[in-house]
Amino acid sequence: MGTPQAAALIGRADELDKIREYCRALAAGNGALVLLDGDAGAGKTRLLHEILKPPFLPRGYVAISSGALDYARAPYAPIRDVLVALDKLYPKVLANDTALAQRLRPVLDFTPLEHAGDDGAARRRLLDAFVGALHKYAANAPLVLAVEDVHWIDRASADVLMHTARDLSVLRALVLVTYRGSEAGERPESRDLIAQLSRSAAKLQIKPLSTSDAMLLIQDVVPSNLPIGVRRTICELGQGNPLLLIELARHAADNPDSLNGTLPVSLQSLVNDRLARFDERDRDLLRVCAAMDAFEPAAVAEIAQAPVSAVMATLRKARTAGIVVEAPGSREKFLFRHALIRRAITGELLVIEIAALHARIARRLEAQELSNERNARLAYHYWMAGERENSRRFNALAAQAAAAVYAYDDAAMLYERAVEGALLDETSHALHVELAQTYVAAGRYRQAMETYRRLFLYAREHISPNEAARIAIDLSRCCYHALDDEGATSALSDALAILDERANPELAFELHGLLGWYAVHRRQLEEADAALQRAETLLQHGSAVPRVRFHEARAAHEVHAKGGGAWREHLERALDTARRLEPKEQVRRFLNAIALSVASEIDAFDYALDLIAELKGIVASNAGLDHESYLDTAAWITFTCGRLVETRELIDALLPYVNDAPIYGFRVASVGIPLGLRTGDDLLLHACMRPRVLHDAFASKREQVFGPVATAVAEHMLAQGRSSEAAALIERTMHRLTETGNNFDLLIMAARTGSDEVAKRAEQLLAPWQERSRSGRACMMMVRAYRCKSARRVEYAQDAARAFEDLRWPLHRAQALELAGEAEPALTVYRQCGAAAEVLRIERRMQGANGNGLSRREVEVAQLVAEGNSNRAIAERLVLSERTVENHIASIFTKLNVRSRVEIASFMTREKAQSAS
């Protein structure tokens, strides 16, 4: 299980950028005060922890942290902590100024001035003394002072902070003050302080994390196999609060069903602290409110059989405590500020009490005017009341309304409630079909598979073979999207086994065509040809969509069996028909055409980009279309074509979907990681480098999946100086590779980092592609360049650069130019693509050519690397451990701004040539 440390900055980029600006201004002597407002657990302390240390703070800055404590509000306590810390760093300041030290004695002794006969003048002298001391300390270094939790501040400390704020414009100090806005108004000291400071301070609101950022945080905390439904529940309950998300995720990690029961002790305690100020009568009313979600005082009074005035008094008290808020845009409705508070309040009731309460609420709602909102609320309350028939009826109505506005996850949840506890029979069959279709629309293919399997068995036994065969088609598509190729083909085979083809030739044509399509996809070309020939005999019976799929499969068979053939003719036939279909089907058909056009035998990337542009127009002109699969395919193609800005936009749009479908997570990793490395985007790297992504990729057993993911992860390892780990990963991946497929980058990486045996294996896999593929020939030249040395390497690398230019693969071309020693042309290509990190790396290397900063031992190691020695050989030669050699090589990578042993060799060759001249 992970920790939240790696995700500390998720969703906080804006806050960090603003504080970074204040830090820059501090170097010029311009101090500032920044207020950080956020709920308990919002991440204020974690954010400060990251700010108050390198590399965020520039070298030479001094960071001090203090805070007010609820259980020990001693006078001047946080101010004293600041003084003690500064005195420890610079003891001469107070030691050399005894008068100043004496004036500050009340602060150091926790003595409020009123106890010493304060006459006003003494208070002013103390406040001036503190500011004067800060000036002296700031003369030594810029100060960054953090004072946390000032909603618990004492009056004396509040006075010091208010006085200090007056001088910050001429004081070399940045003061960061954190507080909970929901609690700051409860005490006069904090209320007055925040009001005063707000007049001159910058204010940053620590907002809740977005759903995608919350998912990233959960991913860092718990195993990746936690069901997606549980993750959504965590997001719903946590409402973007990092602390709550972490606690809930840990609570659910061992037992995913635990979220349906009691809350974790830590969270229950947090909520109970809020509720401690309410008496039992207030709690009774709040229980009714909690059961209703959005609620009106009059409705609460009627259900609780209490006066409206009593309800209003309780709500005023709850609003002051930050428990409820008035609903935006409504004068009558209220909402709970946090879902966990609702859960904690209703958690005190027995199940029978909860059911009775929800039944009373539902009865009252029945009298309201008919609307989608009313149906949704009735669906929830009847479900909670355990009234099965009413629950089924209203949850089905609410699900239909949710699906109509493309809220498929909500619709799926409502359909699940509608069929809860019901057998699959004649009365529930239609609801199960709706549920399966909604799962598909939401991209939740594994759940759709389970439902469709049940529907197939039911249709076969109770309806008809034709109906079962139609369900088998839907089941096969879900299996395909869930990476279950065996399941996809077996579903179609099972359908053909029970279908009378003469009685239903249209359905038989569709089944044979799909079977051929899947066989081509798996490169089972003989089986594909047999299925497609059988389908062709039934072609005249086919409807539009199956005919499109048939021509796609024929085009794919031409490509993979004949190295091209008449693929374009078949594909254009498919697209001509596809353009007359509904927009959603057009998207599917264009995606298949795009994928086929970039097959290695074709390499028609220009054609693919034209199709992407047309597809983008289809998506843009039809609101509500599911476009994540378009993003997936387009991201890889635009990245390969060097359109990095466009690729980043596509990856950003794809990230929210990675938890719903594994294939999107794999694509995000295989494209997003190298994109982040080339652009220097660390946040993108973190978002794409998900826990277990490599494990899950290998578990898929699909070479088109684990190959690109392993290549991206290995490249990240190289960037971190972990060359031996990268080499081991590539070797492990190469052992699993049975054919080249879409893994040219993996083979290049194998030649770049692997042993001679692994590099030779890469060359063998590429050999069949030299005559049938432009990309295969280009990559073969690149592999041979890495395997050769001196002039032969340069020759192969230059040939590869020209071949990649013909392909219009600029990033590969730049890599080949670098390998050929042509840094300036490579730099130009990287600049055109927007590969900022690559540009910086080459510029630094060129600037440091005459002063590389290598130690004498590192020079020795670099030279032996250039001569082709392994780590073990270098260790034996220099009488070192292999681990020490690895550390030296990692240091060389950093100092020379290179990424591989080959680049070290190229650098040392140039160094030697310059020395000779």
Side-chain angles (χ1 to χ4, degrees), residues 165-180:
R166 298 162 56 93
D167 276 81
L168 280 177
S169 60
V170 293
L171 180 60
R172 205 164 55 145
L174 172 63
V175 180
L176 306 172
V177 173
T178 75
Y179 67 100
R180 301 176 193 170

Side-chain angles (χ1 to χ4, degrees), residues 58 76 94 109 169 235 241 292 345 375 449 456 483 512 544 556 564 569 592 612 723 730 871 873 893 916:
Y76 302 114
L94 295 184
D109 292 341
S169 60
C235 288
N241 184 295
M292 297 179 69
I345 292 172
N375 287 344
M449 285 164 52
F456 174 80
L483 309 182
H512 283 296
E569 179 184 346
N592 287 341
I612 287 173
S723 57
I730 292 299
N871 285 5
F893 278 2

Side-chain angles (χ1 to χ4, degrees), residues 129 144 174 181 206 384 432 441 476 603 676 773 880:
V144 179
L174 172 63
I206 308 298
M384 289 294 294
H432 279 88
S476 71
D603 290 321
S773 164
L880 300 170

